[in-house]
Amino acid sequence: MTTQFPPIDRDKSHLTAVDEEAVRLADVLEAHPGTSDVTDAGAAGDIVFTAAGSTWVLDFQHGPDGEVFQSTGAPAPADAPAADVLRDVVVPALLADPAYRAATADDDTLTVHLATGRHYTLALSPAA
């Protein structure tokens, strides 16, 4: 039996916007058939998941203003080839969810554009 939890009451929640986005991103990755063992690592907002035979970590990165979420215009095109797991697993999972407008993978960096018009960047690395 699957337990259903009510939506987060933002007025009562102790979660930050980054924490909430980490939970949503983990849920999207968990629902994707190419991933398994997806967890939100908690305070750091990191997401740990298994895909393509390895375990990976996505770390939220701070923007130029020190904040995670940035204002955005159009998604920037990628300049370098994306890491295979970003290109083949993470980007398709995000693009299938209406909360995400675009996801741009560039080498080991993923820029996620939200439907709200903001974006954030994640860095991909193998889990230690």
Side-chain angles (χ1 to χ4, degrees):
M1 182 170 130
T2 302
T3 303
Q4 295 294 325
F5 295 99
I8 295 170
D9 183 343
R10 294 183 192 279
D11 293 331
K12 297 178 183 175
S13 175
H14 64 280
L15 297 177
T16 66
V18 174
D19 293 332
E20 289 178 15
E21 182 57 25
V23 169
R24 179 171 54 184
L25 183 58
D27 287 346
V28 168
L29 288 175
E30 186 172 44
H32 191 270
T35 60
S36 62
D37 302 321
V38 180
T39 60
D40 167 15
D46 302 335
I47 291 95
V48 180
F49 65 99
T50 300
S54 297
T55 301
W56 303 93
V57 177
L58 284 169
D59 293 318
F60 285 91
Q61 304 296 297
H62 293 277
D65 63 0
E67 298 293 324
V68 170
F69 295 98
Q70 305 293 306
S71 297
T72 186
D79 293 331
D84 291 344
V85 71
L86 288 178
R87 183 188 66 238
D88 298 340
V89 178
V90 178
V91 169
L94 294 176
L95 294 179
D97 190 288
Y100 302 102
R101 183 170 53 119
T104 306
D106 185 1
D107 197 26
D108 63 352
T109 302
L110 177 70
T111 302
V112 178
H113 298 266
L114 301 169
T116 61
R118 300 179 82 192
H119 74 275
Y120 59 87
T121 303
L122 297 154
L124 178 73
S125 60

